[in-house]
Amino acid sequence: MLDLKLIRQEPDFIKEKLATRGVDPQDIDDLLGLDAKRRELIVKSETMKAQRNTVSDEISQLKRNKENADDKITEMRQVSTEIKDIDAQLDTLKEQVHDAAAHLPNIPNDNVPVGLTEDGSVEIRQWGEKPNLDFTPKAHYELGEDLGILDFEAGAKVSGSRYLYYLGMGARLERAVYNFFLDENTKAGFTEVLPPYIVNDDSMYGTGQFPKFKEDVYQLKDEAMTLIPTAEVPLVNYYRDEVIPEEKLPVWFTALTPAFRSEAGSAGRDTRGLIRLHQFNKVEMVKFCKPENSWDELEALTKHAESLLQKLGLAYHVITLTTSDMSFTAAMTHDLEVWFPEQNTYREISSCSNTTDFQARRAHIQYRDENGKLQYVHALNGSGLAVGRAVAAILENYQNADGSVTVPDVLVPYMGGVTKITK
């Protein structure tokens, strides 16, 4: 949520910055118009209430003096009716202002590349050697099916498209990957959390999924509850409506959870394989910190996510997303994209974002500064990492000419000593 005071004070700045995210400047004018009308009615209501209090005292005095107060009583009845009507208008306007503001994305940092599409993202760095395969590489889903470790047909039969079964060494590899991620995250100082997988509407609002992106999630019928699209939701909302003691900051959380996404709008994209599923495992990282530290925390978060890929020996690059391609809540996002030999391209495996005070305002997460004044924390999030995509990258990058897959060295202990997946 943006600071409404800032929108009032610097409307042209807000229009300019949000236009780079595809927001129509008229939306800002409409919001300010509603806000101005609401503030005008607040003044009118308070003035009339003050008048009513004054006249009520006069009526009491007249009655004490046994004088006629009928005219003033009639007048105040009319005033009370008008106040009731104004207050009803104010309730409606409050909801309209809130709804309009809730649909505005975060202000992009000045260093974010401007673009109304994903084209224009800026590469920051590359790492690792792409595998030099002397044979035609197979796609990860072909490898998984040939090895008997991924079964997409059974997933489609039981649940529908974009679901699957992991079998045998496939299930073990998935487990090895997320346990490795969790262990590395906790070694780095993150507190491991096992959160709820179903959350209420206030939680979805707090992290920015509601009200704008309801079509992207799965909701429980006849209940205001949602299957989490990412562990970011329960992790950020852990401190919703709370004041974090200053001495606790920064707070770092990590969690393994399933993620449930409807993938609305992705018809025809990545219909095969592990890249875009309705249900997948993800290890998430969330940070809360003081505002002056959040940009350093973003770089540290990104570097840590990179270290996971480095230890797996997977080539990747880091890009900064354009203003319109990053998430609704982000002020800046660094994407890690890992190399996929069969596709001969990089694919996203982690997004590390600084949401500044945007989520904290929505979720009312604050701390007291050294002067005892309440301030909003800055919240950051990043995948550490998307597990299914990591498995897919391992299958493709570590495949051998005979169809087997070598297990990365760091995962061998998690695989019970297995060094190669074969038929």
Side-chain angles (χ1 to χ4, degrees):
M1 179 74 79
L2 299 180
D3 184 356
L4 190 55
K5 186 184 296 184
L6 177 64
I7 299 175
R8 292 186 198 121
Q9 293 173 344
E10 300 187 50
D12 292 338
F13 166 77
I14 297 296
K15 289 178 185 178
E16 178 185 356
K17 297 297 284 186
L18 295 192
T20 69
R21 306 204 64 177
V23 176
D24 188 337
Q26 186 60 49
D27 292 346
I28 311 300
D29 289 333
D30 292 344
L31 168 60
L32 290 172
L34 290 169
D35 180 56
K37 185 175 180 180
R38 176 175 172 266
R39 294 167 72 198
E40 179 184 326
L41 284 179
I42 288 173
V43 172
K44 185 175 181 181
S45 176
E46 290 177 347
T47 300
M48 294 181 73
K49 287 174 182 176
Q51 176 193 3
R52 183 175 62 185
N53 291 339
T54 299
V55 176
S56 293
D57 290 342
E58 292 175 359
I59 290 171
S60 296
Q61 185 62 46
L62 288 170
K63 287 182 174 180
R64 281 195 296 272
N65 296 336
K66 301 190 182 302
E67 297 180 46
N68 190 302
D70 291 349
D71 290 346
K72 290 185 179 293
I73 291 171
T74 300
E75 178 187 355
M76 284 307 98
R77 283 176 179 162
Q78 180 61 34
V79 169
S80 293
T81 299
E82 291 182 31
I83 290 172
K84 187 176 180 180
D85 290 342
I86 291 172
D87 286 348
Q89 293 179 57
L90 282 171
D91 287 341
T92 300
L93 281 168
K94 182 180 179 180
E95 290 182 8
Q96 291 175 336
V97 168
H98 186 272
D99 185 65
H103 280 78
L104 296 178
N106 202 355
I107 299 169
N109 181 272
D110 290 341
N111 294 319
V112 174
V114 174
L116 293 179
T117 68
E118 62 184 29
D119 298 330
S121 295
V122 175
E123 184 179 79
I124 303 172
R125 54 187 169 268
Q126 292 186 11
W127 185 92
E129 295 292 329
K130 299 169 186 173
N132 185 20
L133 303 177
D134 58 2
F135 57 91
T136 302
K138 291 182 178 180
H140 68 274
Y141 47 84
E142 292 179 285
L143 288 161
E145 289 172 334
D146 290 346
L147 290 168
I149 62 174
L150 301 179
D151 192 333
F152 294 95
E153 286 188 11
K157 177 183 68 176
V158 172
S159 299
S161 63
R162 300 184 193 262
Y163 293 91
L164 82 153
Y165 282 82
Y166 288 84
L167 301 171
M169 282 297 165
R172 185 152 195 176
L173 179 60
E174 174 98 354
R175 177 158 54 94
V177 168
Y178 62 63
N179 281 332
F180 167 68
F181 289 162
L182 286 172
D183 285 350
E184 291 299 308
N185 290 354
T186 54
K187 287 177 189 175
F190 288 85
T191 298
E192 185 177 350
V193 179
L194 185 59
Y197 299 163
I198 301 175
V199 296
N200 56 33
D201 285 359
D202 286 343
S203 296
M204 293 294 285
Y205 175 82
T207 41
Q209 282 81 11
F210 285 3
K212 193 171 183 179
F213 303 102
K214 286 190 174 184
E215 72 279 4
D216 295 331
V217 299
Y218 290 108
Q219 294 182 274
L220 274 61
K221 186 177 180 180
D222 300 326
E223 290 189 59
M225 301 290 284
T226 301
L227 296 174
I228 60 171
T230 166
E232 172 194 342
V233 179
L235 291 181
V236 170
N237 281 279
Y238 181 83
Y239 282 115
R240 192 178 77 232
D241 297 324
E242 291 190 24
V243 177
I244 304 175
E246 183 186 13
E247 63 272 14
K248 274 194 172 185
L249 295 172
V251 174
W252 296 6
F253 287 152
T254 187
L256 162 72
T257 68
F260 303 94
R261 300 185 184 178
S262 69
E263 292 296 340
S266 68
R269 296 177 60 192
D270 300 309
T271 54
R272 297 190 68 185
L274 300 171
I275 300 300
R276 199 177 299 276
L277 298 170
H278 291 309
Q279 175 192 320
F280 58 93
N281 290 320
K282 183 156 70 82
V283 176
E284 186 73 6
M285 303 178 292
V286 162
K287 292 184 173 185
F288 302 94
C289 66
K290 295 180 181 179
E292 61 267 26
N293 299 327
S294 67
W295 296 109
D296 288 340
E297 290 282 9
L298 175 61
E299 296 310 311
L301 185 70
T302 306
K303 287 285 189 180
H304 177 69
E306 289 182 67
S307 75
L308 302 176
L309 291 175
Q310 291 172 10
K311 289 173 181 176
L312 287 171
L314 295 172
Y316 67 89
H317 71 169
V318 183
I319 61 175
T320 300
L321 298 185
T322 63
T323 47
S324 63
D325 194 30
M326 60 186 181
S327 72
F328 176 78
T329 61
M332 176 181 279
T333 297
H334 297 321
D335 263 14
L336 278 61
E337 296 186 333
V338 66
W339 182 252
F340 276 79
E342 190 273 337
Q343 296 182 39
N344 195 38
T345 192
Y346 291 105
R347 299 302 303 266
E348 177 200 337
I349 195 167
S350 175
S351 286
C352 298
S353 300
N354 185 358
T355 73
T356 57
D357 64 355
F358 190 84
Q359 288 182 328
R361 286 182 180 277
R362 296 172 77 97
H364 301 108
I365 305 171
Q366 298 174 299
Y367 76 101
R368 290 192 185 276
D369 63 19
E370 60 273 12
N371 299 315
K373 186 177 180 181
L374 284 173
Q375 305 284 359
Y376 287 105
V377 299
H378 278 197
L380 301 92
N381 64 80
S383 306
L385 302 163
V387 180
R389 293 191 179 197
V391 169
I394 289 167
L395 292 177
E396 288 203 15
N397 284 273
Y398 283 91
Q399 64 181 294
N400 302 304
D402 63 0
S404 65
V405 174
T406 300
V407 176
D409 290 344
V410 293
L411 296 184
V412 171
Y414 293 92
M415 294 285 290
V418 173
T419 59
K420 188 177 288 187
I421 301 173
T422 59
K423 288 185 180 179

